[in-house]
Amino acid sequence: QGLGGLVPGAGHRQGGRHVSALASSAVPRLRPMRDTDLERVIAIELTAYDFPWTLGIFHDCLRYGYTCMVFENDDDLLGYGVLSLGANECHLLNICIAPAFQGCGHGTQLIDGLLDVARTMAARVAFLEVRASNHAAYHVYTKMGFNELGVRKNYYPANHGREDAILLAREL
């Protein structure tokens, strides 16, 4: 719901040729998150994560000046990111692409955009954590130049106890 029912690779016929439903939308863009986005943001968060952030957490991030961005095209909210900035560092706290739009390179585009925002705010290094079990995200991050710094034991809630986080960083 709210994502238009699009499935990566799905499409339709236009003028006798097959056109990807995802390719037919405008180029995705990053913009600041607004309170009016939160209904769609939380809908994505609830479908993407077993242990999602609450609506209150997103409200607090907006209220307390975290950098909160949405990644959208003309038709859909594709994802979002939340980062904190200070002392010439940024910490990517939440990076999410809606499941219906994953596997299309949007995650890389979103992260590139978030890092560009961080650079304009004088950040020189970026940090993030990733679940040890999230191999797809880990691969994206390392492909983008993030390097493993260590492990945060029992960092994330899990279905059976807690799960470790891998701490990654890269220079900007």
Side-chain angles (χ1 to χ4, degrees):
Q1 168 145 351
L3 299 175
L6 294 178
V7 176
H12 63 279
R13 295 228 171 249
Q14 180 178 355
R17 60 188 173 93
H18 192 264
V19 177
S20 168
L22 296 178
S24 64
S25 297
V27 174
R29 63 198 164 276
L30 200 61
R31 67 161 174 81
M33 186 184 293
R34 302 182 289 256
D35 283 330
T36 55
D37 296 314
L38 291 181
E39 184 177 317
R40 294 185 306 156
V41 166
I42 201 70
I44 292 170
E45 182 80 3
L46 292 171
T47 61
Y49 296 117
D50 290 335
F51 299 92
W53 281 16
T54 65
L55 183 60
I57 292 171
F58 284 103
H59 274 295
D60 287 348
C61 288
L62 286 171
R63 181 180 316 128
Y64 295 115
Y66 286 81
T67 301
C68 305
M69 308 294 287
V70 295
F71 189 62
E72 64 185 358
N73 61 20
D74 286 343
D75 303 318
D76 297 289
L77 182 64
L78 306 175
Y80 50 87
V82 177
L83 57 110
S84 65
L85 292 154
N88 299 106
E89 299 175 353
C90 81
H91 192 152
L92 298 163
L93 302 172
N94 190 333
I95 305 161
C96 187
I97 295 294
F101 297 101
Q102 291 176 2
C104 303
H106 295 311
T108 300
Q109 292 174 314
L110 171 59
I111 295 164
D112 278 340
L114 293 170
L115 296 178
D116 285 344
V117 170
R119 278 185 205 95
T120 66
M121 301 176 101
R124 292 191 297 240
V125 64
F127 296 94
L128 61 82
E129 290 88 9
V130 62
R131 283 182 182 270
S133 63
N134 193 344
H135 304 292
Y138 181 87
H139 176 73
V140 169
Y141 301 144
T142 56
K143 188 175 167 186
M144 295 184 73
F146 282 87
N147 296 297
E148 194 169 321
L149 293 182
V151 174
R152 296 189 194 274
K153 298 301 265 179
N154 300 315
Y155 186 79
Y156 289 110
N159 288 323
H160 301 289
R162 308 285 298 176
E163 181 176 357
D164 294 345
I166 300 169
L167 176 62
L168 301 168
R170 68 164 276 186
E171 290 183 12
L172 302 177

